[in-house]
Amino acid sequence: MTDNIQRMKELSGILTRAGKAYYQEDREIMSNLEYDKLYDELQALEKETGIVLAGSPTTQVGYESLDELPKERHETPMLSLDKTKEREELKAFAGAQKVLVSWKLDGLTVVLTYRDGKLAKAVTRGNGEVGEVITNNARVFQNIPLSIAYQGELVLRGEAVISYQDFEKINEEIEDVDAKYKNPRNLCSGSVRQLNNEITARRRVQFFAFALVKAEGVDFQNSRKNQFAWLASQGFDVVEHVEATAATMDETVDLFAEKIQHFDIPSDGLVLIYDDIAYGQSLGRTAKFPRDSYAFKWADEMRETTLQEIEWSPSRTGLINPVAIFEPVELEGTTVSRASVHNLSILKGLRLGIGDRIRVYKANMIIPQIAENLTQSGNVTIPEHCPVCGGVTQIRAANDAETLYCTNPECQAKKIKSFTLSVSRDALNIDGLSEATLEKFIGMGWIHEPADLFRLERHREAIETMEGFGAKSCENLLASIEKARETTLPRLIYSLGIPNIGVANAKVVCKAFHYDLDQIRNSTAEELADVDGIGPVIGQAMAGYFQDERKSRELDELLKELKIAEAPAEEGAQDLEGKSFVITGTVEHFANRNELKALIESKGGKVTGSVSAKTSYLINNDTTSGSSKNKKAKELGIPILSEEDFLRMLGSEYGERSER
């Protein structure tokens, strides 16, 4: 018994860390297959011993949401689904009832609320009890209706997803190998929870409804199928579903199994739900699962093969990724011969060795993965030198994973990838400098640092004689370089290739420091981390970059070649600088709360979702209500303002608005 309990504690810790990485941090430290295997082992031990330890992943239905977005409690808890990989269990679940079989989509679950025909609120699943409010982002999903015919209160659930086609396009635009997203689910999760919905809009997020929670006054004749049809009539894309019985279960599952081969939306299985609403609800729920629905996960198609080599692939940040090369096998209708091993921890955990017999599969029938190593020779040697430049490598540990890095700052792989980022569209935007061209120019010794990109005129004659160029092509390239000299500070910051600083973060930092490059360069890691959306990891990376003598010198040289545009004009006086607001209740003088929020932010203020000691004002037209936010504000001595109070506080220009 003692050994079992110890193993349960060990499994609980492993699964909790893996779950946190997957759900909160959008990264993977183990495969879905391995997670399911360990989860099943823990569940079996709990059943055998009759003991469930506090905090066990089998008792949890999700993970805590992050602090960057406002949090809100769901009216109805969102439970996980009990699951199986056995068709016979699906038939037993159906019994004598008619069920609806639909895709189990692999994205991020979102709850939408409509009032008076308008989208009022969108909240992520979060931990099933409390989610993050992402209304502003939901408004830019590709296919969510902002207005519907139905005027009552409608609450529905669905999955936000990014198609494989859009996932590939987005990844193609990311030059850095280690910055590419591992799968559509991670990309979708990060996209849905952006603080800047401009990024969300570019990611082409789609929404598919899979459950109706509330629609006052509508008679669905006790049928889930009718609910789906009604949602479709309101303009929602509804998850594809098929009626089935125990007798037709095999052919129904076969139908979906055939479709998934060419299905562009990520799916990790199927969901069954009783069509008879009253019957399903009469079954109640367990502590974790509803009893009216059941999940089916695809049984992964496995193939045994031989590991031939480990390819070590360097990137611009110095990270060297291990990639397994094995004898080609047929999986899910395609030939597969390579799979990412992700990091050294996974490589060591699998005890990979050349010549080992390994079993491979496609996660969600799409992404090649190594399931297990049958022989575990562990003879793979971790390279002490970079395969590109020969520089010394270094093993680093972070976030429960070991990774391999090239320590040579002059590594050609780093330069090519780094300069490719520097000249990309969202950075310095030098048209005509492809990765292949940069590789040639670096090889010729013409480019050693970013400023050299703007000194290629010195090599005009040599460029004109190079294969693939000529006088006209060279002229076009040099013209593009001249055009790129005029740029903006966010573009410049992004072009530097600081880890985790993308276009959006570069803009956020520039705005926070009033577009003053000297101020940014001289800021501490703590000061940078305090910027909303940046945090300690990115703050440390930025400070470290600007404190590096070589990089600082190179930036000085680059600045000699550029003309940085003036900072964008502030939208009026920043009267609310340093003040924090919470908005609750309905608004009368604004189209919605987002419009009021935009005004506050344009004046330098900040809007958060919950009242705390840091809140300056609570805006609520019902200043005397007994709402929880009003009570909290009164407890903390925080002023409660009506809209009119707030507008008068801003001055006469806005006070007139309150009188209209």
Side-chain angles (χ1 to χ4, degrees), residues 203-215:
R203 300 284 175 78
R204 299 182 60 80
V205 179
Q206 300 177 66
F207 176 87
F208 291 92
F210 62 65
L212 190 152
V213 179
K214 180 197 294 185

Side-chain angles (χ1 to χ4, degrees), residues 112-121 139 144-156 216 230 234-236:
L112 302 182
T113 301
Y114 287 76
R115 298 190 185 99
D116 302 320
K118 305 292 184 184
L119 175 62
K121 184 170 57 179
R139 293 184 191 281
I144 281 185
L146 300 181
S147 301
I148 59 175
Y150 176 67
Q151 295 297 299
E153 183 174 55
L154 166 65
V155 181
L156 69 149
E216 299 167 344
W230 183 82
Q234 297 296 311
F236 295 96

Side-chain angles (χ1 to χ4, degrees), residues 487-500:
T487 190
T488 64
L489 188 57
R491 283 180 175 273
L492 172 63
I493 297 293
Y494 174 55
S495 78
L496 301 178
I498 302 170
N500 298 313

Side-chain angles (χ1 to χ4, degrees), residues 26 57 76 101 103 151 158 257 276-277 293 326 349 382 388 394 447 457 523 528 546 568 588 595 608 628 635 656:
D26 300 329
T76 307
V101 182
W103 294 114
Q151 295 297 299
D276 187 321
I277 299 173
S293 46
F326 44 81
I382 297 171
V388 171
Q394 181 184 70
I447 301 176
E457 168 71 33
S523 294
L528 289 160
F546 292 122
E588 298 169 1
E595 187 179 347
T608 62
S628 60
E635 288 172 9
E656 293 174 1

Side-chain angles (χ1 to χ4, degrees), residues 451-627:
D452 292 334
L453 295 167
F454 295 90
R455 297 166 179 164
L456 289 172
E457 168 71 33
R458 302 172 181 176
H459 310 287
R460 176 192 285 265
E461 291 184 9
I463 292 173
E464 288 178 351
T465 62
M466 291 179 68
E467 183 180 351
F469 272 89
K472 182 63 175 175
S473 296
C474 180
E475 189 62 42
N476 290 341
L477 172 60
L478 296 177
S480 178
I481 290 171
E482 288 306 307
K483 183 179 177 181
R485 288 184 188 276
E486 295 188 13
T487 190
T488 64
L489 188 57
R491 283 180 175 273
L492 172 63
I493 297 293
Y494 174 55
S495 78
L496 301 178
I498 302 170
N500 298 313
I501 290 291
V503 180
N505 281 340
K507 290 179 179 177
V508 166
V509 170
C510 290
K511 184 176 180 180
F513 289 92
H514 311 292
Y515 292 83
D516 186 333
L517 179 58
D518 287 337
Q519 191 178 349
I520 295 172
R521 293 178 72 173
N522 293 313
S523 294
T524 64
E526 291 75 20
E527 289 169 334
L528 289 160
D530 283 342
V531 176
D532 279 347
I534 298 303
V537 174
I538 300 177
Q540 185 61 54
M542 285 199 77
Y545 183 94
F546 292 122
Q547 289 164 9
D548 183 287
E549 288 186 15
R550 182 179 64 84
K551 288 173 180 168
S552 185
R553 181 195 61 76
E554 288 183 353
L555 178 54
D556 288 336
E557 288 297 310
L558 177 59
L559 289 170
K560 294 176 184 178
E561 304 292 336
L562 299 175
K563 180 181 179 182
I564 309 297
E566 294 287 330
E570 296 284 359
E571 297 179 16
Q574 301 292 285
D575 300 329
L576 304 179
E577 186 77 45
K579 293 182 172 63
S580 176
F581 294 78
V582 173
I583 307 169
T584 189
T586 57
V587 292
E588 298 169 1
H589 300 289
F590 297 86
N592 50 47
R593 286 192 290 189
N594 279 337
E595 187 179 347
L596 174 54
K597 177 184 176 184
L599 173 60
I600 292 171
E601 291 177 342
S602 74
K603 295 290 178 182
K606 178 180 177 182
V607 178
T608 62
S610 57
V611 177
S612 71
K614 294 182 179 180
T615 304
S616 305
Y617 299 96
L618 170 65
I619 298 178
N620 185 356
N621 280 324
D622 190 354
T623 57
T624 61
S625 82
S627 70

